[in-house]
Amino acid sequence: MNRFRSTLAAALVAICLAGCGLTAPRSNDGYADLDSLGLFDVDNVMTLSIGPALLRFAASQTDDDPETQALLRNLDGVRIRIYEIDGDASRVAGRVDAMGTRLQGQGWEPVAVLRDADETVHMLMKPVHDENGRRVAGLTVLVADREEAVVVNVMGDLKPELFTDTMAALDVDVTPDIQVASVAP
C-alpha cells in the first residue's frame, strides 16, 4: 500500500509539472518522439526537461545579453538525456542512426550527419508551414561515441541566426568554418 501511495504521488506531481509549463511540452511541433538507446548497453545518467515557464524565467535573468534573452524567449522546451555506454557502443551507434532515420520519416530534415569509427552525430531540424510561411519548430541532436551518448531536443520558434550570436556570447569555442544555415521560406 505504501508503494502504491508513493507511485500515485509521483504520478500526480508529474501531471502537475507537465501542466504548469515546468517541463517540455509533448504537444509542441518541435517535440521529437525519441526511442530508448537500449536497456542493456547504456545507463541513463541524466534526464532534463525544461518547459516554457522556466525558459521565460531564465530569459528574464539575462538582462545583459539580448541575443540569449531573445533565444530563450522563443523556446518552448528543452529536453536533454545523457547516457553512459557500458555495453556495445556500435549497437548504440546503430540505434542513434535508426533514431535519426525514424525522425526523418516524421518530417525532420537532416542538417548534418557524421559517422566515423569513434562517433556518430545526427543534427535534424523540424520545419513547419503555417500562415507566416516556413519556420523551424525543433532541433534535435543525437551524439554517440565509445563512452557516452547525448540526446538533445529543442522546441519553439527557432531562429537559426540567434544560435550563432548566442554561441559567441557564451564564448563557445567552435571551428570558424562552421556556420548555422538559415532556412529559406
Side-chain angles (χ1 to χ4, degrees), residues 50-79:
I50 303 170
L54 291 176
L55 291 165
R56 302 298 179 274
F57 176 74
S60 72
Q61 302 303 307
T62 58
D63 295 334
D64 60 335
D65 188 356
E67 290 87 10
T68 301
Q69 191 175 48
L71 176 65
L72 289 171
R73 281 194 180 127
N74 287 330
L75 296 181
D76 293 326
V78 176
R79 297 166 47 224

Side-chain angles (χ1 to χ4, degrees), residues 3-4 43 67 85 156 181:
R3 177 175 246 182
F4 173 74
D43 284 327
E67 290 87 10
I85 298 175

Side-chain angles (χ1 to χ4, degrees), residues 164 167-168 171-179:
T164 303
M167 297 299 270
D171 198 26
V172 175
D173 187 24
V174 294
T175 306
D177 298 337
I178 297 175
Q179 296 179 2

